Amino acid sequence: MAVGFLTPVVRRFVLQWFMASHGMSFTSAYLERVYRIYLNHAKVVHWRDGYPVYSLSTPALFSKPAANFLARTIYRSIQNRNIPNIMSFAVNDECNARCGHCSFYEGVDNKAREVLSLDQACQVIRDAQDLGVSVFNFVGGEPLLRRDLPDIIRSVDKDLATTVLFTNGAYLRDQARSLRRAGLDSVYVSIDSADAEKHDRFRGTPGLFEKAVDGIAAAKAAGLSTGISCSVTPEAFGSGEMHRVVELGKRLGVHEVIVFDTMPTGRFKWRTDLYQDGDWVQAMIRSARPFNDDTRYPGVVVWAYVTSHEAVGCSCGTNFFYMSPYGDVMSCDFNHRSFGNVLEEPLYRIWDQLSSMDDFSHSKWGGCKIKDPDFVARQAVSPGLSVAAPQLVAIEGRA
């Protein structure tokens, strides 16, 4: 058709017809590509409140928090400045478990500091939403030991952000419905082995596996998007543990399994073999693809893929930050250098200082910054460290 010879009215009609006939397929292709880049898959894992969920760690598609995320992304480019999309908030420093890989055990064992009060925690959330946060991860300690957690969740403006809980599952069965009523959207339950005895031994808590499974059932019944969070060591991956956990997730009917490669921090700070991403990490990323191509399985998100050059890279301090139970702002859960405390100065000023540093002004491709000895050796990590070799590192964070 020679469009140039058409009248303006007809040209406008042809354009509208073209957009109507092609817009749907273009939007679908665009969204599939966006999710495939970020998650390494593009399948809907759950429908929550009528909206499609591709991952528990992202706002549901077409929801108001998703609109907020996209609007903030536009303003990020206009302002030419980093804004935080995700905040990981440790609401307490108590835990019922003694996990072999815990990176927050010093905070749990030492009660020298006071956690933020309910009013202070709610103010932190308001300030974070003013900055642009559209995903709140609630962590600990064990966050379900904080009795006013539902009130903290309730303080989140649900038109602007989605809410996610990370828990070991010990208390989830009895609290799932109240958390859902408070406005919780998603929950990840930690399961590191499909074998109950192995899991309980690694977590230092007899009977925890059974409670975690019961908690998953209760969370699903309450309407929460429900997933398994699994920490994998090289030896565990080599023995097939990740695949067994994914199969367990399928049997339990979870919507997602998120897999974290363990970090050389906390009780694992002696694991110098965890620095850099070896061949086993790439093998783990590849091994998730058959599960993601099969609609019978939950979505499988390997965090090492997210931090790789194929996705967004390690964006701690760039579009993500961690808040300690005491109000300290840190680049991520695993780097306990404080860049300021919200009880002493406004959050936006702390974020500006953090995200303007050379090490945090942009994402790092090729894996987590905390697994990079060169990054660890600089001043962007916990103060007082002088790192000449990986075996000298002692960074504290959260597992």
Side-chain angles (χ1 to χ4, degrees):
M1 178 185 296
V3 178
F5 293 101
L6 301 177
T7 66
V9 172
V10 175
R11 281 203 300 268
R12 190 161 51 248
F13 172 79
V14 170
L15 177 61
Q16 290 173 346
W17 172 84
F18 183 88
M19 291 177 65
S21 60
H22 291 76
M24 185 80 68
S25 60
F26 175 83
T27 300
S28 177
Y30 169 77
L31 290 172
E32 178 174 350
R33 190 62 189 149
V34 166
Y35 283 108
R36 190 169 294 281
I37 290 172
Y38 184 61
L39 302 172
N40 208 16
H41 76 77
K43 67 180 178 182
V44 175
V45 298
H46 186 214
W47 287 83
R48 187 181 65 241
D49 300 328
Y51 295 98
V53 176
Y54 285 79
S55 172
L56 279 60
S57 56
T58 62
L61 187 60
F62 303 121
S63 67
K64 290 183 177 180
N68 181 49
F69 171 81
L70 292 173
R72 291 291 184 170
T73 300
I74 293 173
Y75 275 95
R76 175 176 180 165
S77 63
I78 294 173
Q79 296 169 339
N80 193 27
R81 175 164 295 281
N82 290 327
I83 62 171
N85 300 323
I86 304 171
M87 169 180 162
S88 193
F89 187 8
V91 296
N92 67 349
D93 58 3
E94 301 177 83
C95 193
N96 59 304
R98 290 189 61 83
C99 303
H101 64 320
C102 180
S103 297
F104 192 54
Y105 73 98
E106 288 189 349
V108 171
D109 293 344
N110 181 5
K111 296 296 189 295
R113 303 181 69 186
E114 290 188 9
V115 303
L116 296 175
S117 68
L118 174 60
D119 288 343
Q120 290 167 338
C122 293
Q123 184 62 53
V124 162
I125 286 173
R126 287 192 291 271
D127 292 344
Q129 293 202 271
D130 287 344
L131 271 179
V133 170
S134 56
V135 178
F136 284 96
N137 294 329
F138 294 104
V139 300
E142 168 46 52
L144 291 183
L145 285 171
R146 178 154 182 165
R147 293 185 178 181
D148 59 4
L149 177 62
D151 295 319
I152 295 175
I153 294 171
R154 199 172 287 113
S155 73
V156 176
D157 186 339
K158 306 308 186 302
D159 285 345
L160 299 178
T162 189
T163 51
V164 186
L165 173 70
F166 284 79
T167 174
N168 63 38
Y171 310 102
L172 182 59
R173 184 188 66 179
D174 297 331
Q175 298 187 41
R177 291 194 179 279
S178 63
L179 292 167
R180 181 66 171 134
R181 287 194 298 268
L184 184 68
D185 293 317
S186 304
V187 58
Y188 287 111
V189 180
S190 296
I191 294 182
D192 303 306
S193 173
D195 180 88
E197 185 179 347
K198 268 188 193 177
H199 174 78
D200 292 351
R201 185 167 60 249
F202 184 64
R203 294 268 164 178
T205 311
L208 187 56
F209 181 90
E210 183 177 352
K211 291 178 180 178
V213 170
D214 289 344
I216 286 171
K220 288 178 54 189
L224 292 163
S225 296
T226 307
I228 288 174
S229 172
C230 179
S231 293
V232 178
T233 61
E235 59 271 22
F237 176 72
S239 72
E241 195 63 77
M242 171 189 153
H243 286 211
R244 289 191 289 272
V245 170
V246 174
E247 292 288 352
L248 172 67
K250 178 189 174 189
R251 293 196 299 273
L252 296 177
V254 302
H255 306 115
E256 183 174 78
V257 176
I258 189 166
V259 181
F260 295 100
D261 45 318
T262 47
M263 308 288 281
T265 61
R267 291 195 175 111
F268 266 8
K269 61 189 176 185
W270 57 274
R271 291 289 303 264
T272 58
D273 61 308
L274 297 179
Y275 282 93
Q276 306 290 15
D277 286 344
D279 293 341
W280 75 276
V281 173
Q282 293 305 312
M284 184 164 63
I285 292 172
R286 291 192 299 270
S287 72
R289 289 171 183 161
F291 296 120
N292 285 327
D293 291 340
D294 191 334
T295 57
R296 297 172 300 171
Y297 282 88
V300 179
V301 175
V302 178
W303 198 248
Y305 168 81
V306 177
T307 62
S308 75
H309 68 281
E310 297 182 75
V312 298
C314 180
S315 58
C316 71
T318 305
N319 66 11
F320 164 83
F321 70 95
Y322 168 79
M323 179 76 63
S324 82
Y326 322 112
D328 302 307
V329 177
M330 303 166 182
S331 64
C332 78
D333 311 40
F334 300 101
N335 176 16
H336 270 201
R337 173 184 172 178
S338 175
F339 293 87
N341 188 287
V342 293
L343 300 181
E344 300 170 1
E345 57 183 319
L347 176 60
Y348 78 90
R349 288 183 185 169
I350 303 172
W351 173 257
D352 186 52
Q353 173 196 351
L354 167 60
S355 62
S356 298
M357 293 180 63
D358 288 343
D359 283 316
F360 301 111
S361 62
H362 59 277
S363 294
K364 172 189 174 295
W365 277 354
C368 176
K369 295 172 182 175
I370 304 303
K371 295 176 70 176
D372 182 343
D374 291 336
F375 174 85
V376 171
R378 297 195 292 273
Q379 292 299 310
V381 298
S382 298
L385 292 179
S386 177
V387 184
Q391 61 264 31
L392 300 179
V393 177
I395 300 172
E396 296 304 333
R398 178 192 62 85

